[in-house]
Amino acid sequence: MFIESIILNNYRAYKGYNKISFTQNGKNVYVVAGNNGFGKTTFLSSLVWCLYGKLMVDVDEKFRREINDSQGYKNYSKQNLNKLSASALDSMSLNSDLRKHVAKNGYTPAEEYIRENAQCYVEINIIDTLIPAIPARSITIKRTYDYFLDTEDLEILIDGQVNELAREVGYDIFINDFILSKDIAKFFFFDAEKIVNLAEIKSLEEKRRLSIAYSEVLGIRKYEDIRKALENLRLKLRKNSGASISVAKLDKLSVEIDGIETQIEIYKTERSEADERIAELKLENDSLQERLIREGNAMSVDELDKQRSLLQSLQTANAALKAKLRDMLDIAPFAISGSLLYLLRQQLVMEEEAKSRTANSDAIISTLKSTRQELVSNVKNIKLGDSAIEMLISIINDSFAHHMPEAGTEYNSAGKILLDYTNSETNEFQALYDNIKYSYSIAFKQLVKDLKNNNAFLLKTQKRIQLAEQDDRDAEVALLRKQKNLILSEITKLENRVRTLSEKIGVLNKDLAIKKKHLSELSKTIRVDDVDKEKDLIAERLIRELTELLYTLRLKRKKSLENKIKSELRILMHKADFIQDVRIDLADDLIDINLLDGSGATINKEKISKGEQQLYATAILKALVDESNIDFPVFIDSPLQKFDSIHSKNIITKFYPSVSKQVVIFPLLGKELSAMEYEALLPNVNQSYVINNNDGASSLLEVEPSKLFETLM
């Protein structure tokens, strides 16, 4: 399958008729380059819209979010029309009678000027495709949206003619079944920067949706559908021929199952309607907010409450800062009298030193006295005459008296004692002195700054609240606010209802699974009539064979896919020892892909770098495309984003040349694709196009591949 041409007419950034043609000459890469905002991503989105329309929400979560952000598919479709064309149409002031006339009779030559600005369309022409039972050299798919009539039309031509079989099947079904299933389109139209979400899937619902895509790509789903059809056939045969009691039970279970399925559909419809109503209410809410802004009041009720809460926090902070300032002001006099404080400390230091010396002197005197007494006592014990003993004692006393100072002499000689602080008082003063000397000035300045900023913010917030409260006294503003509050209240109720419905659907799905299992077991106990016995036996045999085939096929495809992903990772990654193995776990309808390190432990995909996540997702895409044997072009937006030079080279030389017969990339030159990287890609480049933009209107220009950089950069 090969896309020969794509036409974008008045589609978003592309004003007027823009056609891009692709030729085949053995090279498989086509480059469409442009600056940011010129329409690269828009080009990719246009293809998905052309093929799937409102079903594009099932292609990728990205499109679902875009449609939700647009408040529904209708608004999304309206935004598809080029803004310049929409402005030109709005300026024509066309009335409703003319719209009715065009809707009934179509555009006549007289209204051609309207159609030129009112319609946007995307057309894809495909060749080299094989469709069972339909000989086709080319298929043209064209989806048109008419802004004036607010209608959408899908047209499919086979070899330039309307095909009755395709029209009878339904064009959307025809595209899904014979061109490319929406469940696997994400593997062929992807943003290389955002495919990392394949590595971040957590919820069961996300895994289930991805597993459906895997089953579709790997060709498993069609066998599952055949088996399900055969199971329904056997159930029908038993209903027609079973015993009355058993059939009654069967009928009862079938009715209950039908009832549950009907109830699920009712809940889903109600949930969908609630979602649409929420979208409408949000638009009304936005409109009311715009009117409030025009009235000079841009503050919503929630914002007003937040401002009041902020005001309270600021007032609390202001009180705390003032209390801290008062504490610091108590110390201010000491800081102001800096020289006197220094002299005070000098006096205190002197007194402390004097006390220390005096204490040492008293200790020495006490020791000398003890020594003298001991000498005198010992002299008395000497066997000498009394006169000699008295003489020795006198000599000892005179010597000690001559050399021993009086107690307290050092204390008094150090200077005049004025303070006489205790140790505790001295420590307190030292702490105060150190605070003033080293940190008080900085802390005081910062506190004053914080208080000033807080006061300014406080006054500003008070002013905002006052203005909002003054506006609330205005009758018109008050009415608008009241309407806005009612809408917000209804939105909240509807959102709660949507959550409740989702919970009920979940419970019913669980009950449905149980009853279907009971139905299957009961149907096995009922025998069919001889007329249908052979049919039942054949159906039973086919179901058994299909079950075995599916089991074998799953294991075979599982092993093959594991090997392909591992092989692609080793080709693309430069850290050869990082991922040693790949394991795919199959559980019911879930498929989970795990990466293993050298020890066999599972690697947490969320913790590897974004570049490695992107590489991992790219390897999965390549492996799935190879395994599926689906022949469809691959379109890649933001190529090489987050890759280092080695990984980029691997992608350029090993991924792009082999992933598909036709690979169209949309790079931002210089950032997502450097000149050196483009040189490596150039041998595989067939054609290159540049997106130009003049006054908000984008257009496509083909350039020589070798001159792409000099044309755009």
Side-chain angles (χ1 to χ4, degrees):
M1 187 179 295
F2 186 86
I3 294 181
E4 189 177 48
S5 64
I6 299 168
I7 298 172
L8 282 74
N9 185 76
N10 282 342
Y11 184 85
R12 294 194 176 241
Y14 295 89
K15 180 75 172 75
Y17 181 90
N18 293 273
K19 182 177 181 179
I20 183 169
S21 299
F22 301 103
T23 60
Q24 301 182 68
N25 66 359
K27 299 179 180 181
N28 72 322
V29 178
Y30 302 82
V31 181
V32 182
N35 294 328
N36 280 331
F38 279 18
K40 299 188 301 297
T41 302
T42 296
F43 197 113
L44 189 66
S45 299
S46 74
L47 305 179
V48 179
W49 176 72
C50 178
L51 292 173
Y52 305 107
K54 64 182 179 182
L55 298 178
M56 65 192 297
V57 295
D58 298 326
V59 172
D60 194 89
E61 188 62 29
K62 168 193 171 185
F63 300 117
R64 184 183 297 274
R65 285 195 302 270
E66 287 178 359
I67 289 172
N68 287 340
D69 291 343
S70 301
Q71 312 296 337
Y73 181 72
K74 277 194 172 183
N75 288 321
Y76 179 83
S77 297
K78 287 180 180 178
Q79 293 170 11
N80 284 340
L81 182 66
N82 179 267
K83 289 182 179 179
L84 297 176
S85 297
S87 297
L89 194 68
D90 291 337
S91 66
M92 295 178 189
S93 302
L94 306 173
N95 57 49
S96 58
D97 291 336
L98 181 59
R99 183 179 288 106
K100 290 176 183 177
H101 171 77
V102 173
K104 183 178 180 181
N105 304 301
Y107 289 100
T108 64
E111 291 99 25
E112 182 63 20
Y113 72 100
I114 301 175
R115 189 192 64 78
E116 287 179 357
N117 286 296
Q119 288 187 350
C120 68
Y121 67 81
V122 178
E123 181 180 305
I124 302 173
N125 188 44
I126 303 170
I127 61 172
D128 297 342
T129 184
L130 178 64
I131 299 175
I134 302 178
R137 291 185 300 275
S138 69
I139 299 173
T140 301
I141 302 169
K142 180 180 178 181
R143 189 179 295 272
T144 305
Y145 174 73
D146 192 304
Y147 185 88
F148 180 55
L149 301 177
D150 192 18
T151 58
E152 185 175 294
D153 179 62
L154 175 62
E155 181 183 13
I156 294 181
L157 301 177
I158 297 179
D159 293 334
Q161 302 294 323
V162 174
N163 185 278
E164 291 300 325
L165 179 60
R167 188 163 63 179
E168 186 177 337
V169 168
Y171 288 153
D172 286 319
I173 296 174
F174 179 82
I175 291 170
N176 196 69
D177 289 353
F178 298 108
I179 305 299
L180 185 67
S181 169
K182 61 183 173 60
D183 293 321
I184 61 176
K186 68 170 67 184
F187 300 125
F188 296 89
F189 302 97
F190 64 89
D191 185 330
E193 184 183 3
K194 294 183 174 61
I195 58 169
V196 294
N197 57 20
L198 284 175
E200 299 171 338
I201 286 176
K202 296 179 184 177
S203 71
L204 287 177
E205 186 59 32
E206 288 175 326
K207 288 183 178 180
R208 189 169 285 112
R209 283 202 302 267
L210 193 59
S211 297
I212 291 171
Y214 287 160
S215 297
E216 186 79 31
V217 169
L218 300 177
I220 296 172
R221 193 173 176 184
K222 56 188 176 184
Y223 296 108
E224 292 173 339
D225 292 342
I226 294 170
R227 184 176 64 177
K228 186 176 180 180
L230 289 169
E231 287 172 349
N232 289 334
L233 174 63
R234 292 193 73 199
L235 182 62
K236 184 179 179 181
L237 293 175
R238 278 161 173 70
K239 281 185 178 181
N240 293 336
S241 59
S244 58
I245 296 175
S246 298
V247 171
K249 290 181 181 178
L250 206 63
D251 286 340
K252 184 181 178 183
L253 270 174
S254 297
V255 169
E256 289 176 355
I257 288 171
D258 290 342
I260 292 173
E261 289 177 339
T262 302
Q263 191 63 48
I264 289 173
E265 289 304 315
I266 290 171
Y267 284 157
K268 283 183 177 179
T269 302
E270 187 179 346
R271 183 175 64 181
S272 177
E273 290 173 352
D275 284 334
E276 288 181 6
R277 180 58 181 156
I278 288 171
E280 291 173 1
L281 288 171
K282 284 182 177 179
L283 281 176
E284 290 183 34
N285 182 62
D286 292 342
S287 176
L288 287 171
Q289 185 63 35
E290 288 176 6
R291 289 179 63 187
L292 281 169
I293 292 170
R294 286 197 296 271
E295 292 294 330
N297 188 330
M299 192 179 296
S300 67
V301 176
D302 288 342
E303 288 171 341
L304 182 58
D305 290 338
K306 287 178 182 178
Q307 289 294 320
R308 286 170 176 160
S309 177
L310 176 62
L311 178 64
Q312 188 174 356
S313 300
L314 290 170
Q315 288 171 337
T316 303
N318 193 59
L321 289 169
K322 284 182 177 178
K324 193 173 180 180
L325 181 63
R326 282 195 297 271
D327 292 339
M328 295 197 79
L329 287 174
D330 290 340
I331 304 173
F334 295 99
I336 294 169
S337 57
S339 58
L340 292 175
L341 190 70
Y342 175 76
L343 292 175
L344 180 63
R345 181 177 179 277
Q346 291 296 99
Q347 176 67 24
L348 185 62
V349 169
M350 180 272 294
E351 291 186 10
E352 284 297 307
E353 290 175 351
K355 284 182 181 180
S356 177
R357 288 195 299 271
T358 300
N360 292 337
S361 177
D362 289 345
I364 292 169
I365 291 169
S366 177
T367 302
L368 289 173
K369 284 181 177 180
S370 299
T371 303
R372 185 184 62 181
Q373 289 175 358
E374 187 175 348
L375 286 172
V376 170
S377 298
N378 289 334
V379 166
K380 288 179 180 179
N381 294 330
I382 298 174
K383 293 180 180 181
L384 293 173
D386 290 339
S387 59
I389 290 172
E390 287 178 2
M391 186 179 295
L392 283 172
I393 291 173
S394 177
I395 291 169
I396 290 170
N397 286 334
D398 289 344
S399 296
F400 273 89
H402 179 72
H403 294 288
M404 187 169 62
E406 292 295 326
T409 302
E410 290 292 336
Y411 184 97
N412 292 323
S413 64
K416 190 174 182 181
I417 302 301
L418 302 175
L419 303 174
D420 199 17
Y421 281 1
T422 64
N423 287 337
S424 176
E425 290 170 337
T426 300
N427 291 337
E428 283 185 31
F429 178 83
Q430 188 62 43
L432 174 65
Y433 183 84
D434 290 342
N435 179 24
I436 292 172
K437 183 177 180 180
Y438 297 111
S439 62
Y440 181 80
S441 177
I442 296 172
F444 187 81
K445 288 177 182 177
Q446 185 61 46
L447 179 61
V448 171
K449 183 180 178 181
D450 291 345
L451 187 61
K452 184 178 179 181
N453 291 340
N454 190 77
N455 278 331
F457 203 9
L458 181 67
L459 292 171
K460 192 174 181 181
T461 305
Q462 285 176 331
K463 189 174 181 180
R464 284 177 181 170
I465 293 171
Q466 287 171 359
L467 288 172
E469 289 174 343
Q470 286 173 5
D471 286 338
D472 281 346
R473 290 191 287 271
D474 182 277
E476 186 173 355
V477 171
L479 180 61
L480 290 174
R481 280 193 178 278
K482 185 177 180 181
Q483 292 174 350
K484 197 170 184 295
N485 288 338
L486 289 173
I487 287 173
L488 290 172
S489 176
E490 190 174 352
I491 288 173
T492 302
K493 288 178 182 177
L494 286 170
E495 287 175 341
N496 291 334
R497 180 59 180 162
V498 167
R499 282 193 292 271
T500 302
L501 289 169
S502 296
E503 290 170 3
K504 288 182 177 180
I505 290 170
V507 172
L508 286 173
N509 277 325
K510 186 177 179 180
D511 193 23
L512 181 65
I514 294 170
K515 290 191 180 297
K516 280 186 174 180
K517 187 177 179 181
H518 289 167
L519 182 66
S520 176
E521 292 171 354
L522 179 61
S523 65
K524 293 175 184 177
T525 65
I526 301 175
R527 295 183 178 180
V528 297
D529 290 339
D530 292 337
V531 178
D532 296 324
K533 189 172 183 179
E534 189 174 351
K535 296 178 186 177
D536 184 63
L537 289 172
I538 293 172
E540 183 184 13
R541 176 175 59 80
L542 290 173
I543 289 170
R544 184 172 61 252
E545 290 175 357
L546 277 170
T547 302
E548 293 172 359
L549 174 65
L550 280 168
Y551 178 76
T552 306
L553 186 60
R554 278 175 176 270
L555 288 180
K556 181 181 177 182
R557 288 300 180 92
K558 169 184 178 294
K559 190 65 179 174
S560 177
L561 191 58
E562 285 174 342
N563 291 333
K564 277 189 168 64
I565 293 173
K566 181 167 64 175
S567 175
E568 291 300 326
L569 283 171
R570 288 184 174 173
I571 290 171
L572 298 176
M573 274 193 172
H574 59 73
K575 292 195 293 186
D577 59 342
F578 179 52
I579 297 172
Q580 290 295 323
D581 205 357
V582 175
R583 187 185 71 236
I584 297 177
D585 296 327
L586 301 174
D588 297 328
D589 58 345
L590 298 179
I591 295 177
D592 204 5
I593 300 176
N594 294 301
L595 306 178
L596 308 178
D597 60 19
S599 64
T602 302
I603 298 170
N604 189 340
K605 295 190 287 284
E606 295 173 44
K607 292 187 178 179
I608 62 178
S609 71
K610 288 295 181 184
E612 288 170 333
Q613 285 184 355
Q614 186 176 338
L615 205 65
Y616 158 72
T618 303
I620 290 178
L621 294 173
K622 177 66 165 62
L624 284 168
V625 171
D626 288 348
E627 190 71 15
S628 69
N629 292 319
I630 295 173
D631 182 21
F632 195 87
V634 172
F635 294 80
I636 306 170
D637 191 14
S638 301
L640 308 183
Q641 185 80 306
K642 299 189 185 303
F643 287 143
D644 58 33
S645 58
I646 299 176
H647 284 150
S648 295
K649 183 179 178 182
N650 290 339
I651 292 289
I652 288 168
T653 58
K654 298 171 184 176
F655 178 70
Y656 292 155
S658 61
V659 68
S660 175
K661 293 178 184 177
Q662 185 179 16
V663 179
V664 184
I665 63 173
F666 301 85
L668 179 62
L669 296 186
K671 183 178 180 183
E672 296 168 354
L673 185 67
S674 68
M676 188 179 297
E677 289 165 343
Y678 183 69
E679 284 298 320
L681 180 66
L682 194 55
N684 294 302
V685 176
N686 188 320
Q687 291 172 271
S688 62
Y689 282 83
V690 167
I691 304 174
N692 290 322
N693 188 281
N694 295 313
D695 299 325
S698 292
S699 59
L700 295 158
L701 172 69
E702 184 174 6
V703 298
E704 181 67 29
S706 60
K707 298 180 180 179
L708 176 62
F709 259 77
E710 62 184 80
T711 302
L712 194 60
M713 298 298 286

